[in-house]
């Protein structure tokens, strides 16, 4: 246990010679949407659409939950999302209150059984819906649960059908009519009764804001925290509305390459570079930009080279997009699995900072995240058709001198580099690095140090090469019982803000490896 004592009265600075690995910043208090307190960080999980599409069953969704538990849960993945085609054709089949009916052949034990199974794995259950009221409800004029109203009392034929991607025949709702909100309330209660933790609302357009508001009100009334994702290709002009009413929004069309034998292709992936740059200012705790799913772990079926797959995951990571696997989990290849479970790349994705575009040419792009500890995550991409040198200069980032550079994919220390960094990249390849400016490497207060500025104290210690993370505590007594700061970090440095003046503090650090905590120093 490394224990130091300092008083908040004296400045200090000493350059260290070590290297800091990737920082994963613990979530601050979430500024969430208007009706839940979720998405402090981009969600991580799996979606059925890319690989299963129209053929989900109770068996294959449970199998996916088993594999997420076995191979991905340890790395932070937690959502198992059933995306569409779990229901009967709603043009003729609805329940007694006019809502979709779960297909009993595909899900013989019902949707609640699927939710319960997923929850027992310590995972979260996601489901899908589109907007409007189904034709079957209108034709049968089904009652609206808990009200004297019926389907025909709330339908608005003048606005036509809602956008849908399967059976069509979902009609607009007139929300000025009594029973309209109550209809959506009843559907939200149904989803909550299944144990749903995530709801994808599909077919959202600018004219559908009243629908999304109704769903927001309905989901809040259930009392169940349900992550809401809006799809797809939403209009950035209304981003403030999407931020208020959801936890994520699709920035483009589907990444899948429909009509081809592969899940996706480089054209579908690379169009997201401009999306990342345009939407970056709007990502924050509570709601994140959604670039669609990651299809990188089914070998040639993915339609991408190995370099393109790594660039695909790198872009999603630096952008802080949701990390949702689209691959067939029963046919995972080892390379794709390694991409999806690289904890340093996941750390970039979960850092809480959506990457900004630093530069763009006809053949290259550079994105960066600036982290609270003064370090940077940087993605360098060759978007051209031939090998390229792709560079970043430190002064463009806002600092001068040297910096320690760490390769996030290979976990290699690349050394102390002056002025900037250049990567030689193959066609569509990329490199992800963590950069710590020398000026950011300041030693912790020496034992007994005084006159340390209380508003922004930086604590540093020598790194342990074998450590996964560090446990840092600050207290007002040497017995460490009056704790004022208690946090796990992955780099040998952290900042403490807003300490009291004229106060003596003690701090200690332990290293953590494979779940075991061990004292550093004496």
């Amino acid at each position: 246990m490394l224990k130091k004592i300092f008083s908040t009265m004296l400045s200090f600075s000493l350059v260290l010679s070590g290297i800091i690995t990737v920082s994963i910043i613990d979530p601050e208090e979430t500024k969430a949407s208007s009706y839940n307190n979720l998405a402090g960080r981009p969600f991580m999980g799996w979606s059925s659409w890319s690989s299963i599409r129209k053929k989900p069953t109770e068996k294959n969704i449970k199998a996916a939950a088993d594999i997420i538990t076995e191979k991905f849960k340890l790395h932070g993945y937690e959502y198992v999302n059933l995306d569409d085609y779990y229901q009967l054709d709603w043009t003729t089949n609805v329940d007694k209150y006019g809502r979709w009916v779960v297909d009993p052949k595909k899900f013989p034990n019902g949707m609640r059984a699927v939710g319960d199974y997923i929850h027992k794995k310590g995972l979260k259950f996601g489901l899908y819906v589109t907007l409007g009221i189904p034709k079957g409800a209108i034709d049968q004029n089904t009652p609206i649960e808990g009200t004297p109203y019926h389907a025909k009392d709330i339908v608005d034929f003048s606005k036509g059908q809602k956008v849908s991607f399967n059976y069509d025949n979902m009609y607009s709702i007139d929300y000025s009519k009594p029973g309209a909100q109550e209809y959506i309330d009843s559907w939200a209660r149904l989803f909550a009764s299944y144990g749903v933790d995530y709801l994808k609302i599909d077919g959202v357009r600018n004219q559908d804001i009243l629908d999304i508001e109704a769903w927001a009100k309905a989901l809040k009334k259930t009392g169940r925290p349900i992550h809401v994702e809006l799809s797809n290709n939403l209009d950035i002009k209304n981003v403030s509305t999407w931020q208020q009413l959801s936890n994520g929004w699709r920035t483009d069309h589907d990444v899948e390459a429909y009509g081809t034998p592969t899940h996706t292709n480089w054209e579908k992936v690379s169009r997201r570079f401009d999306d990342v740059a345009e939407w970056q200012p709007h990502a924050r705790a509570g709601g994140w930009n959604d670039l669609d799913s990651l299809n990188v772990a089914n070998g040639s079926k993915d339609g991408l080279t190995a370099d393109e797959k790594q660039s695909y995951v790198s872009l999603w990571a630096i952008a802080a997009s949701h990390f949702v696997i689209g691959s067939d989990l029963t046919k995972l290849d080892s390379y794709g699995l390694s991409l999806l479970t690289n904890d340093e790349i996941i750390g970039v994705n979960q850092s809480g900072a959506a990457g900004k575009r630093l530069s763009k040419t006809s053949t290259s792009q550079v994105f960066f995240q600036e982290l609270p500890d003064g370090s940077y995550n940087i993605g360098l991409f060759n978007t051209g058709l031939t090998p390229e040198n792709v560079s970043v200069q430190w002064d463009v980032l806002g600092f001068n001198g040297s910096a320690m550079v760490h390769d996030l994919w290979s976990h290699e220390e690349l050394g102390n580099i002056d002025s900037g960094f250049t990567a030689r990249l193959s066609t569509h390849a990329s490199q992800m690095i963590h950069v710590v400016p020398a000026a950011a490497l300041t030693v912790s207060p020496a034992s007994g140090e005084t006159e340390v500025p209380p508003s922004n104290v930086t604590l540093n210690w020598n790194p342990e090469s074998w450590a996964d993370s560090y446990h840092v505590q600050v207290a007002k007594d040497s017995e460490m019982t009056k704790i004022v700061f208690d946090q796990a970090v992955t780099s040998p440095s952290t900042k403490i803000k807003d300490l009291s003046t004229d106060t003596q503090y003690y701090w200690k650090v332990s290293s953590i490896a494979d779940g075991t905590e061990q004292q550093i120093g004496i």
Side-chain angles (χ1 to χ4, degrees):
M1 177 187 305
L2 178 65
K3 184 186 290 186
K4 296 280 186 177
I5 179 173
F6 65 94
S7 299
T8 54
M9 292 181 266
L10 171 62
S11 63
F12 52 91
S13 180
L14 180 65
V15 174
L16 296 178
S17 59
I19 180 68
I20 295 176
T21 54
V22 61
S23 298
I24 303 176
I25 309 303
D26 282 350
E28 298 175 359
E29 183 178 355
T30 300
K31 181 182 178 183
S33 65
S34 61
Y35 58 95
N36 66 36
N37 204 36
L38 301 173
R41 291 293 181 266
F43 87 84
M44 299 175 65
W46 172 82
S47 168
S48 65
W49 180 251
S50 292
S51 60
I52 294 176
R53 297 209 179 153
K54 296 183 179 182
K55 298 179 180 179
T57 64
E58 183 173 332
K59 182 178 179 180
N60 59 31
I61 297 302
K62 286 182 176 180
D66 292 342
I67 296 168
I68 290 293
T69 302
E70 177 189 356
K71 298 182 183 297
F72 295 96
K73 183 180 177 183
L74 181 64
H75 301 280
Y77 294 86
E78 58 178 346
Y79 286 86
V80 177
N81 296 338
L82 169 48
D83 191 326
D84 207 357
Y85 284 95
Y86 60 86
Q87 69 285 85
L88 295 173
D89 182 343
W90 59 66
T91 61
T92 54
N93 295 282
V94 292
D95 72 5
K96 64 181 180 180
Y97 296 121
R99 303 164 303 196
W100 292 353
V101 175
V102 174
D103 187 332
K105 292 183 179 179
K106 292 180 177 180
F107 297 91
N109 293 300
M111 206 53 72
R112 178 63 193 228
V114 177
D116 287 347
Y117 187 88
I118 291 169
H119 292 149
K120 287 178 181 177
K121 298 283 182 177
L123 302 173
K124 295 182 178 180
F125 175 38
L127 206 55
Y128 171 100
V129 75
T130 60
L131 300 173
I133 184 168
K135 181 177 184 295
I138 300 163
D139 290 346
Q140 299 169 38
N141 199 25
T142 52
I144 295 170
E145 186 180 30
T147 79
Y149 306 108
H150 292 72
K152 289 183 179 179
D153 296 326
I154 66 170
V155 67
D156 185 351
F157 287 115
S158 68
K159 293 182 180 178
Q161 294 188 31
K162 289 291 190 181
V163 173
S164 185
F165 302 105
N166 34 37
Y167 303 116
D168 294 326
N169 292 299
M170 292 290 288
Y171 287 87
S172 297
I173 295 171
D174 184 345
Y175 287 99
S176 69
K177 297 290 184 67
Q181 180 63 54
E182 289 83 357
Y183 173 70
I184 301 299
D185 291 349
S186 76
W187 213 338
R189 288 194 299 272
L190 181 65
F191 287 150
S193 75
Y194 295 159
V196 167
D197 305 294
Y198 166 107
L199 184 64
K200 175 181 173 179
I201 303 178
D202 208 357
V204 179
R205 300 293 182 266
N206 291 341
Q207 59 266 34
D208 301 320
I209 289 174
L210 289 178
D211 293 86
I212 304 304
E213 288 177 343
W215 274 102
K217 294 174 185 176
L219 291 167
K220 184 175 182 179
K221 290 175 186 177
T222 68
R224 183 175 183 82
I226 298 176
H227 177 115
V228 176
E229 199 74 10
L230 305 181
S231 186
N232 65 30
N233 195 29
L234 272 75
D235 189 344
I236 197 171
K237 294 177 182 177
N238 285 320
V239 68
S240 62
T241 299
W242 315 139
Q243 287 173 319
Q244 287 298 311
L245 299 175
S246 73
N247 304 110
W249 40 86
R250 281 275 303 283
T251 63
D252 212 321
H253 294 291
D254 290 4
V255 77
E256 287 83 8
Y258 299 119
T260 75
T262 62
H263 286 151
T264 187
N265 56 45
W266 180 246
E267 181 183 359
K268 293 284 187 178
V269 172
S270 62
R271 65 182 289 165
R272 264 69 177 175
F273 281 99
D274 286 342
D275 292 341
V276 172
E278 183 180 17
W279 286 82
Q280 182 276 331
H282 308 296
R284 79 291 187 266
W288 302 94
N289 301 321
D290 185 349
L291 303 182
D292 207 6
S293 58
L294 290 165
N295 297 297
V296 298
N298 288 153
S300 61
K301 181 69 175 178
D302 297 321
L304 300 164
T305 68
D307 283 338
E308 288 170 345
K309 291 181 184 184
Q310 182 169 301
S311 294
Y312 186 174
V313 178
S314 295
L315 182 63
W316 265 236
I318 201 79
S321 171
H322 299 305
F323 250 35
V324 55
I325 302 166
S327 303
D328 182 342
L329 298 179
T330 66
K331 299 177 181 178
L332 295 173
D333 64 79
S334 59
Y335 177 68
L337 182 61
S338 73
L339 294 178
L340 294 168
T341 58
N342 185 307
D343 288 328
E344 291 196 278
I345 297 300
I346 290 171
V348 174
N349 177 257
Q350 297 289 297
S351 69
K356 300 177 182 179
R357 184 155 64 189
L358 187 67
S359 65
K360 176 186 178 181
T361 73
S362 61
T363 55
S364 69
Q365 298 200 36
V366 177
F367 288 82
F368 76 101
Q369 296 173 342
E370 184 173 5
L371 303 177
D373 63 1
S375 65
Y376 299 84
N377 292 324
I378 301 174
L380 303 103
F381 299 88
N382 175 6
T383 56
L385 297 176
T386 59
E388 283 282 327
N389 287 334
V390 182
S391 300
V392 56
Q393 299 301 312
W394 302 154
D395 59 355
V396 178
L397 289 170
F399 70 91
N400 295 302
S402 65
M404 301 300 295
V405 179
H406 174 79
D407 188 300
L408 292 163
W409 277 111
S410 69
H411 316 303
E412 294 180 74
E413 315 299 357
L414 303 182
N416 193 30
I417 300 176
D418 290 325
S419 302
F421 178 82
T422 298
R424 181 66 176 173
L425 300 174
S426 301
T427 302
H428 299 167
S430 59
Q431 189 163 3
M432 291 280 282
I433 57 174
H434 185 67
V435 174
V436 184
L441 293 168
T442 54
V443 75
S444 59
S447 186
E449 194 76 50
T450 59
E451 297 185 9
V452 177
S455 61
N456 194 0
V457 175
T458 301
L459 308 178
N460 292 274
W461 54 94
N462 290 331
E464 301 278 2
S465 61
W466 48 267
D468 299 322
S469 60
Y470 303 91
H471 182 200
V472 186
Q473 291 181 304
V474 178
K476 291 185 177 181
D477 63 310
S478 59
E479 290 76 28
M480 305 300 292
T481 60
K482 300 177 181 178
I483 301 292
V484 298
F485 180 91
D486 191 342
Q487 193 172 100
V489 300
T490 56
S491 59
S493 176
T494 192
K495 288 186 177 182
I496 314 294
K497 296 182 178 180
D498 302 322
L499 295 175
S500 301
T501 57
D502 301 318
T503 304
Q504 194 170 68
Y505 291 93
Y506 298 80
W507 66 282
K508 67 180 183 181
V509 182
S510 299
S511 60
I512 302 173
D514 297 326
T516 301
E517 190 166 329
Q518 183 175 331
Q519 298 176 353
I520 298 177
I522 57 173

mmCIF file of all heavy atoms in Angstrom, residues 389-417:
data_model
loop_
_atom_site.group_PDB
_atom_site.id
_atom_site.type_symbol
_atom_site.label_atom_id
_atom_site.label_comp_id
_atom_site.label_asym_id
_atom_site.label_seq_id
_atom_site.Cartn_x
_atom_site.Cartn_y
_atom_site.Cartn_z
ATOM 1 N N ASN A 389 1.117 7.014 -44.874
ATOM 2 C CA ASN A 389 1.590 7.520 -43.597
ATOM 3 C C ASN A 389 0.528 8.464 -43.056
ATOM 4 O O ASN A 389 0.168 9.453 -43.711
ATOM 5 C CB ASN A 389 2.912 8.271 -43.756
ATOM 6 C CG ASN A 389 4.080 7.347 -44.006
ATOM 7 O OD1 ASN A 389 4.057 6.181 -43.620
ATOM 8 N ND2 ASN A 389 5.115 7.848 -44.653
ATOM 9 N N VAL A 390 0.032 8.173 -41.868
ATOM 10 C CA VAL A 390 -0.985 9.021 -41.238
ATOM 11 C C VAL A 390 -0.385 9.562 -39.943
ATOM 12 O O VAL A 390 0.112 8.783 -39.119
ATOM 13 C CB VAL A 390 -2.285 8.247 -40.958
ATOM 14 C CG1 VAL A 390 -3.330 9.167 -40.357
ATOM 15 C CG2 VAL A 390 -2.805 7.605 -42.240
ATOM 16 N N SER A 391 -0.440 10.883 -39.774
ATOM 17 C CA SER A 391 0.290 11.521 -38.676
ATOM 18 C C SER A 391 -0.615 12.379 -37.814
ATOM 19 O O SER A 391 -1.679 12.859 -38.245
ATOM 20 C CB SER A 391 1.418 12.410 -39.233
ATOM 21 O OG SER A 391 2.339 11.663 -39.993
ATOM 22 N N VAL A 392 -0.153 12.596 -36.583
ATOM 23 C CA VAL A 392 -0.750 13.571 -35.685
ATOM 24 C C VAL A 392 0.386 14.328 -35.011
ATOM 25 O O VAL A 392 1.369 13.725 -34.567
ATOM 26 C CB VAL A 392 -1.658 12.894 -34.636
ATOM 27 C CG1 VAL A 392 -0.912 11.825 -33.836
ATOM 28 C CG2 VAL A 392 -2.258 13.924 -33.688
ATOM 29 N N GLN A 393 0.273 15.654 -34.968
ATOM 30 C CA GLN A 393 1.270 16.503 -34.318
ATOM 31 C C GLN A 393 0.743 16.953 -32.969
ATOM 32 O O GLN A 393 -0.418 17.339 -32.834
ATOM 33 C CB GLN A 393 1.591 17.719 -35.208
ATOM 34 C CG GLN A 393 2.172 17.353 -36.562
ATOM 35 C CD GLN A 393 3.464 16.561 -36.440
ATOM 36 O OE1 GLN A 393 4.381 16.939 -35.689
ATOM 37 N NE2 GLN A 393 3.555 15.459 -37.184
ATOM 38 N N TRP A 394 1.620 16.920 -31.981
ATOM 39 C CA TRP A 394 1.201 17.255 -30.623
ATOM 40 C C TRP A 394 0.698 18.698 -30.528
ATOM 41 O O TRP A 394 -0.259 18.971 -29.799
ATOM 42 C CB TRP A 394 2.331 17.061 -29.630
ATOM 43 C CG TRP A 394 2.951 15.700 -29.526
ATOM 44 C CD1 TRP A 394 4.217 15.433 -29.105
ATOM 45 C CD2 TRP A 394 2.358 14.411 -29.784
ATOM 46 N NE1 TRP A 394 4.473 14.083 -29.095
ATOM 47 C CE2 TRP A 394 3.338 13.424 -29.502
ATOM 48 C CE3 TRP A 394 1.116 14.004 -30.236
ATOM 49 C CZ2 TRP A 394 3.105 12.066 -29.665
ATOM 50 C CZ3 TRP A 394 0.878 12.638 -30.400
ATOM 51 C CH2 TRP A 394 1.845 11.690 -30.118
ATOM 52 N N ASP A 395 1.333 19.642 -31.256
ATOM 53 C CA ASP A 395 0.917 21.035 -31.120
ATOM 54 C C ASP A 395 -0.508 21.258 -31.635
ATOM 55 O O ASP A 395 -1.210 22.160 -31.177
ATOM 56 C CB ASP A 395 1.908 21.983 -31.807
ATOM 57 C CG ASP A 395 2.072 21.714 -33.296
ATOM 58 O OD1 ASP A 395 1.497 20.735 -33.807
ATOM 59 O OD2 ASP A 395 2.794 22.499 -33.951
ATOM 60 N N VAL A 396 -0.962 20.415 -32.574
ATOM 61 C CA VAL A 396 -2.340 20.529 -33.048
ATOM 62 C C VAL A 396 -3.317 20.121 -31.953
ATOM 63 O O VAL A 396 -4.444 20.628 -31.876
ATOM 64 C CB VAL A 396 -2.545 19.663 -34.306
ATOM 65 C CG1 VAL A 396 -3.983 19.736 -34.797
ATOM 66 C CG2 VAL A 396 -1.598 20.117 -35.418
ATOM 67 N N LEU A 397 -2.872 19.223 -31.094
ATOM 68 C CA LEU A 397 -3.696 18.822 -29.954
ATOM 69 C C LEU A 397 -3.677 19.863 -28.841
ATOM 70 O O LEU A 397 -4.516 19.816 -27.935
ATOM 71 C CB LEU A 397 -3.218 17.485 -29.394
ATOM 72 C CG LEU A 397 -3.479 16.248 -30.263
ATOM 73 C CD1 LEU A 397 -2.741 15.046 -29.714
ATOM 74 C CD2 LEU A 397 -4.972 15.960 -30.371
ATOM 75 N N GLY A 398 -2.681 20.764 -28.891
ATOM 76 C CA GLY A 398 -2.641 21.839 -27.904
ATOM 77 C C GLY A 398 -1.524 21.736 -26.892
ATOM 78 O O GLY A 398 -1.555 22.431 -25.869
ATOM 79 N N PHE A 399 -0.526 20.871 -27.139
ATOM 80 C CA PHE A 399 0.612 20.823 -26.226
ATOM 81 C C PHE A 399 1.896 20.667 -27.025
ATOM 82 O O PHE A 399 1.885 20.278 -28.193
ATOM 83 C CB PHE A 399 0.459 19.687 -25.204
ATOM 84 C CG PHE A 399 0.598 18.297 -25.770
ATOM 85 C CD1 PHE A 399 1.829 17.658 -25.817
ATOM 86 C CD2 PHE A 399 -0.515 17.605 -26.231
ATOM 87 C CE1 PHE A 399 1.961 16.371 -26.326
ATOM 88 C CE2 PHE A 399 -0.406 16.317 -26.744
ATOM 89 C CZ PHE A 399 0.838 15.697 -26.794
ATOM 90 N N ASN A 400 3.020 21.012 -26.404
ATOM 91 C CA ASN A 400 4.325 20.914 -27.037
ATOM 92 C C ASN A 400 5.220 19.962 -26.249
ATOM 93 O O ASN A 400 4.897 19.576 -25.127
ATOM 94 C CB ASN A 400 4.984 22.292 -27.129
ATOM 95 C CG ASN A 400 4.222 23.226 -28.046
ATOM 96 O OD1 ASN A 400 4.021 22.924 -29.214
ATOM 97 N ND2 ASN A 400 3.789 24.363 -27.514
ATOM 98 N N GLY A 401 6.338 19.595 -26.864
ATOM 99 C CA GLY A 401 7.276 18.710 -26.189
ATOM 100 C C GLY A 401 7.030 17.266 -26.544
ATOM 101 O O GLY A 401 6.499 16.927 -27.603
ATOM 102 N N SER A 402 7.402 16.383 -25.628
ATOM 103 C CA SER A 402 7.286 14.950 -25.882
ATOM 104 C C SER A 402 6.057 14.360 -25.207
ATOM 105 O O SER A 402 5.403 15.006 -24.384
ATOM 106 C CB SER A 402 8.542 14.231 -25.377
ATOM 107 O OG SER A 402 8.632 14.352 -23.964
ATOM 108 N N ALA A 403 5.775 13.116 -25.569
ATOM 109 C CA ALA A 403 4.652 12.408 -24.964
ATOM 110 C C ALA A 403 4.930 10.912 -24.994
ATOM 111 O O ALA A 403 5.574 10.401 -25.919
ATOM 112 C CB ALA A 403 3.356 12.711 -25.701
ATOM 113 N N MET A 404 4.461 10.211 -23.990
ATOM 114 C CA MET A 404 4.543 8.766 -23.961
ATOM 115 C C MET A 404 3.395 8.198 -24.791
ATOM 116 O O MET A 404 2.246 8.627 -24.686
ATOM 117 C CB MET A 404 4.451 8.252 -22.520
ATOM 118 C CG MET A 404 5.534 8.785 -21.602
ATOM 119 S SD MET A 404 7.205 8.355 -22.134
ATOM 120 C CE MET A 404 7.171 6.577 -21.957
ATOM 121 N N VAL A 405 3.703 7.213 -25.659
ATOM 122 C CA VAL A 405 2.719 6.663 -26.586
ATOM 123 C C VAL A 405 2.563 5.165 -26.331
ATOM 124 O O VAL A 405 3.551 4.434 -26.219
ATOM 125 C CB VAL A 405 3.140 6.909 -28.046
ATOM 126 C CG1 VAL A 405 2.120 6.311 -29.010
ATOM 127 C CG2 VAL A 405 3.288 8.409 -28.306
ATOM 128 N N HIS A 406 1.321 4.747 -26.273
ATOM 129 C CA HIS A 406 0.972 3.349 -25.987
ATOM 130 C C HIS A 406 0.022 2.859 -27.068
ATOM 131 O O HIS A 406 -0.967 3.522 -27.402
ATOM 132 C CB HIS A 406 0.300 3.273 -24.612
ATOM 133 C CG HIS A 406 -0.229 1.924 -24.241
ATOM 134 N ND1 HIS A 406 0.578 0.910 -23.781
ATOM 135 C CD2 HIS A 406 -1.489 1.419 -24.258
ATOM 136 C CE1 HIS A 406 -0.169 -0.154 -23.517
ATOM 137 N NE2 HIS A 406 -1.425 0.130 -23.798
ATOM 138 N N ASP A 407 0.291 1.703 -27.664
ATOM 139 C CA ASP A 407 -0.575 1.120 -28.683
ATOM 140 C C ASP A 407 -1.712 0.355 -27.996
ATOM 141 O O ASP A 407 -1.472 -0.612 -27.264
ATOM 142 C CB ASP A 407 0.220 0.184 -29.591
ATOM 143 C CG ASP A 407 -0.581 -0.292 -30.788
ATOM 144 O OD1 ASP A 407 -1.638 -0.930 -30.588
ATOM 145 O OD2 ASP A 407 -0.164 -0.026 -31.927
ATOM 146 N N LEU A 408 -2.933 0.776 -28.258
ATOM 147 C CA LEU A 408 -4.076 0.217 -27.547
ATOM 148 C C LEU A 408 -4.490 -1.155 -28.058
ATOM 149 O O LEU A 408 -5.094 -1.937 -27.311
ATOM 150 C CB LEU A 408 -5.261 1.185 -27.642
ATOM 151 C CG LEU A 408 -5.062 2.497 -26.883
ATOM 152 C CD1 LEU A 408 -6.060 3.543 -27.346
ATOM 153 C CD2 LEU A 408 -5.195 2.259 -25.392
ATOM 154 N N TRP A 409 -4.221 -1.463 -29.316
ATOM 155 C CA TRP A 409 -4.569 -2.785 -29.834
ATOM 156 C C TRP A 409 -3.542 -3.839 -29.409
ATOM 157 O O TRP A 409 -3.905 -4.929 -28.975
ATOM 158 C CB TRP A 409 -4.675 -2.757 -31.356
ATOM 159 C CG TRP A 409 -6.001 -2.266 -31.867
ATOM 160 C CD1 TRP A 409 -6.252 -1.097 -32.526
ATOM 161 C CD2 TRP A 409 -7.266 -2.924 -31.736
ATOM 162 N NE1 TRP A 409 -7.590 -0.983 -32.819
ATOM 163 C CE2 TRP A 409 -8.239 -2.103 -32.354
ATOM 164 C CE3 TRP A 409 -7.677 -4.131 -31.168
ATOM 165 C CZ2 TRP A 409 -9.591 -2.447 -32.414
ATOM 166 C CZ3 TRP A 409 -9.019 -4.472 -31.224
ATOM 167 C CH2 TRP A 409 -9.965 -3.641 -31.838
ATOM 168 N N SER A 410 -2.257 -3.511 -29.516
ATOM 169 C CA SER A 410 -1.215 -4.501 -29.199
ATOM 170 C C SER A 410 -0.781 -4.448 -27.748
ATOM 171 O O SER A 410 -0.073 -5.334 -27.278
ATOM 172 C CB SER A 410 0.009 -4.266 -30.084
ATOM 173 O OG SER A 410 0.658 -3.051 -29.733
ATOM 174 N N HIS A 411 -1.174 -3.389 -27.037
ATOM 175 C CA HIS A 411 -0.798 -3.155 -25.631
ATOM 176 C C HIS A 411 0.704 -2.878 -25.487
ATOM 177 O O HIS A 411 1.258 -3.020 -24.403
ATOM 178 C CB HIS A 411 -1.195 -4.338 -24.737
ATOM 179 C CG HIS A 411 -2.569 -4.870 -25.006
ATOM 180 N ND1 HIS A 411 -3.697 -4.087 -24.935
ATOM 181 C CD2 HIS A 411 -2.996 -6.110 -25.365
ATOM 182 C CE1 HIS A 411 -4.762 -4.820 -25.238
ATOM 183 N NE2 HIS A 411 -4.362 -6.042 -25.505
ATOM 184 N N GLU A 412 1.348 -2.452 -26.557
ATOM 185 C CA GLU A 412 2.786 -2.175 -26.525
ATOM 186 C C GLU A 412 3.065 -0.720 -26.148
ATOM 187 O O GLU A 412 2.334 0.186 -26.558
ATOM 188 C CB GLU A 412 3.411 -2.446 -27.891
ATOM 189 C CG GLU A 412 3.405 -3.887 -28.333
ATOM 190 C CD GLU A 412 4.048 -4.033 -29.704
ATOM 191 O OE1 GLU A 412 5.290 -3.931 -29.768
ATOM 192 O OE2 GLU A 412 3.320 -4.238 -30.684
ATOM 193 N N GLU A 413 4.156 -0.525 -25.384
ATOM 194 C CA GLU A 413 4.642 0.813 -25.095
ATOM 195 C C GLU A 413 5.551 1.236 -26.247
ATOM 196 O O GLU A 413 6.549 0.574 -26.540
ATOM 197 C CB GLU A 413 5.411 0.833 -23.772
ATOM 198 C CG GLU A 413 4.753 0.081 -22.623
ATOM 199 C CD GLU A 413 3.392 0.623 -22.230
ATOM 200 O OE1 GLU A 413 2.954 1.635 -22.817
ATOM 201 O OE2 GLU A 413 2.743 0.038 -21.351
ATOM 202 N N LEU A 414 5.212 2.330 -26.903
ATOM 203 C CA LEU A 414 5.960 2.777 -28.075
ATOM 204 C C LEU A 414 7.011 3.824 -27.739
ATOM 205 O O LEU A 414 7.750 4.266 -28.622
ATOM 206 C CB LEU A 414 4.993 3.318 -29.131
ATOM 207 C CG LEU A 414 3.906 2.332 -29.573
ATOM 208 C CD1 LEU A 414 3.040 2.951 -30.659
ATOM 209 C CD2 LEU A 414 4.504 1.016 -30.044
ATOM 210 N N GLY A 415 7.063 4.219 -26.464
ATOM 211 C CA GLY A 415 8.135 5.092 -26.012
ATOM 212 C C GLY A 415 7.754 6.556 -25.933
ATOM 213 O O GLY A 415 6.616 6.960 -26.173
ATOM 214 N N ASN A 416 8.772 7.360 -25.558
ATOM 215 C CA ASN A 416 8.620 8.804 -25.409
ATOM 216 C C ASN A 416 8.938 9.452 -26.758
ATOM 217 O O ASN A 416 10.056 9.357 -27.254
ATOM 218 C CB ASN A 416 9.573 9.308 -24.331
ATOM 219 C CG ASN A 416 9.251 10.720 -23.902
ATOM 220 O OD1 ASN A 416 8.109 11.138 -23.953
ATOM 221 N ND2 ASN A 416 10.269 11.450 -23.492
ATOM 222 N N ILE A 417 7.946 10.091 -27.384
ATOM 223 C CA ILE A 417 8.078 10.572 -28.756
ATOM 224 C C ILE A 417 7.901 12.080 -28.801
ATOM 225 O O ILE A 417 6.932 12.621 -28.251
ATOM 226 C CB ILE A 417 7.058 9.880 -29.672
ATOM 227 C CG1 ILE A 417 7.301 8.351 -29.662
ATOM 228 C CG2 ILE A 417 7.137 10.421 -31.091
ATOM 229 C CD1 ILE A 417 6.292 7.569 -30.468
#
